[in-house]
Amino acid sequence: MHTQVLKLDDAAAADRAIALAAEHIRHGRLVAFPTETVYGLGANALDADAAAKIFEAKQRALNDPLIVHVADLEVGPLAEVRLLSAIVKQLTEAFWPGPLTLVLPKRESIPPIVTAGGDKVAIRMPNHPVALALIKRAGVPIAAPSANRFGHVSPTTAQHVLDDLDGRIDLVLDGGPTTIGVESTVLDVTVNPPMILRPGGITREQIEQVLGVTLAVRRPSSFVSHLPSPGLLEKHYAPAAQLLIVKDVDALGANHAALTAMRKKVGLLLLDNQREACQTLAGPHFVLGNTLEDVARHIYAGLRSLDSAHVDTILITQIPDTGIGEAIADRLKRASSR
Ligand code: TXA
Ligand code: MG
């Protein structure tokens, strides 16, 4: 299969590209597209055969359910559910379109492969003009995991998608780098209080403020016993290199020295304000920026970049566990657990 890449530089080009992509989706084919979080690998969510192709292209385990992307509150898989729950209404009003995925009771129209056989479905409305236009034009909800090989770091550029899936999918819509950079927050609203299954682009604090409740904390064991969801397990979002999270710049220097003495090639993921202290340390340096939002936006590109430089070990200092830092820290923890 030849993978076509279409840039969306001007309005006319974007319109043609989205029309073609929508046609692919309607014909049961695979299209990678940008969202505000990461690139998604989309297929018609109402077509079991199309959804099956996603699992094949990604080499994803069939027990890991897909998120269904919608562009409209009033149609599709959400219509009845929305009426059911005041919480869903509050959350969608506050955060949709945006990086919040809601786990809801599944409706008949969604084929079982999309939910990995489970009776709950994850739904989100992405805040990206290309994603929204594609869903509307296709006229169906779009099932889409992140457009990477299973277990790899999520893609935040069209090139990342090609690096993982070239020749395995029909089309990539190139909308440039994504802005948030880590995946959506997955919130199960079928339990009371709602439970964050995966921290992401909408922070715990933001959700708690809107709902006026303290969210439940996911205990891995209890969650796994209810519904297998490997995306939420350890050792995910992993680079090929070993990732080591250290306390501060001093520890970074000490670890660098020890690893270098062991003839390891070391790569560094740095904040702006750590550059100077680390400038004499050998090996590739990737600067993530200043704020937590910068770090979220650049972390996956950084991991991929140091991987392509074939380092043995990647060093980073720990990220504060607040705001979007909770999502970053979560991904780093998974990426480092092996
Ligand atoms: O930001 C995002 O969410 C991106 C973009 C493309 O929308 N998508 C994404 O999809 O990250 P994926 O498949 O890589 O991660 C979806 C996560 C997985 O951890 C999966 O196990 C969980 O959501 N999930 C999906 N459906 C679920 C369900 N019905 N119940 C519980 N967890 C679910
Ligand atoms: Mg993923």
Side-chain angles (χ1 to χ4, degrees):
M1 187 190 291
H2 173 69
T3 301
Q4 189 181 13
V5 184
L6 291 176
K7 295 226 189 252
L8 310 166
D9 292 333
D10 57 80
D15 196 60
R16 278 196 305 274
I18 287 163
L20 176 65
E23 185 139 333
H24 278 314
I25 295 287
R26 279 196 300 270
H27 284 90
R29 295 191 281 259
L30 301 183
V31 175
F33 61 96
T35 79
E36 78 280 33
T37 57
V38 301
Y39 275 70
L41 176 55
N44 180 353
L46 306 180
D47 177 345
D49 294 333
K53 289 183 192 167
I54 291 178
F55 289 90
E56 198 184 312
K58 281 195 63 143
Q59 315 216 292
R60 179 175 171 121
L62 281 165
N63 65 352
D64 194 2
L66 305 175
I67 296 174
V68 175
H69 295 68
V70 298
D72 194 319
L73 273 179
E74 305 306 329
V75 297
L78 208 59
E80 279 167 27
V81 163
R82 183 163 172 261
L83 300 174
L84 287 179
S85 157
I87 284 181
V88 172
K89 192 160 184 292
Q90 278 175 298
L91 291 172
T92 53
E93 273 169 14
F95 301 118
W96 281 12
L100 176 67
T101 295
L102 299 178
V103 173
L104 296 159
K106 176 176 126 43
R107 296 187 66 204
E108 276 295 303
S109 55
I110 303 292
I113 188 171
V114 170
T115 60
D119 56 4
K120 298 181 188 180
V121 61
I123 301 184
R124 101 170 182 97
M125 187 187 292
N127 186 16
H128 193 291
V130 174
L132 291 171
L134 175 61
I135 299 162
K136 282 187 187 146
R137 194 93 170 225
V140 291
I142 296 183
S146 51
N148 51 280
R149 290 275 188 127
F150 187 61
H152 279 195
V153 172
S154 289
T156 55
T157 67
Q159 185 58 50
H160 293 164
V161 177
L162 286 177
D163 291 344
D164 275 19
L165 298 174
D166 195 10
R168 304 179 71 87
I169 63 178
D170 295 284
L171 175 64
V172 184
L173 294 177
D174 183 352
T178 62
T179 49
I180 292 183
V182 292
E183 300 85 345
S184 62
T185 304
V186 180
L187 184 72
D188 187 345
V189 290
T190 69
V191 294
N192 190 11
M195 183 183 290
I196 292 186
L197 302 181
R198 176 180 73 180
I202 297 289
T203 66
R204 170 185 302 277
E205 296 89 330
Q206 284 177 292
I207 298 169
E208 290 183 338
Q209 196 174 22
V210 163
L211 295 183
V213 299
T214 302
L215 296 176
V217 179
R218 174 175 59 92
R219 290 191 218 304
S221 54
S222 71
F223 180 64
V224 169
S225 69
H226 287 112
L227 177 70
S229 210
L232 306 168
L233 299 178
E234 300 283 298
K235 205 197 157 197
H236 228 255
Y237 310 93
Q242 181 196 25
L243 177 69
L244 275 184
I245 306 162
V246 301
K247 191 159 156 274
D248 52 21
V249 181
D250 288 342
L252 201 120
N255 276 277
H256 186 282
L259 288 160
T260 309
M262 292 159 65
R263 299 182 172 277
K264 298 279 188 207
K265 183 168 174 188
V266 182
L268 303 181
L269 290 173
L270 297 174
L271 303 176
D272 270 335
N273 63 13
Q274 299 172 333
R275 280 172 97 148
E276 215 178 289
C278 296
Q279 62 185 349
T280 59
L281 302 182
H285 296 187
F286 188 102
V287 179
L288 297 165
N290 236 327
T291 61
L292 285 178
E293 284 70 27
D294 294 337
V295 174
R297 193 174 306 122
H298 299 127
I299 189 72
Y300 288 147
L303 289 168
R304 280 178 181 261
S305 156
L306 294 181
D307 251 356
S308 2
H310 301 293
V311 301
D312 301 299
T313 305
I314 299 171
L315 293 176
I316 185 171
T317 58
Q318 66 192 10
I319 300 294
D321 204 5
T322 58
I324 201 165
E326 189 178 353
I328 305 166
D330 170 77
R331 303 310 187 272
L332 289 176
K333 188 162 159 262
R334 293 170 200 281
S336 68
S337 83
R338 61 166 83 206

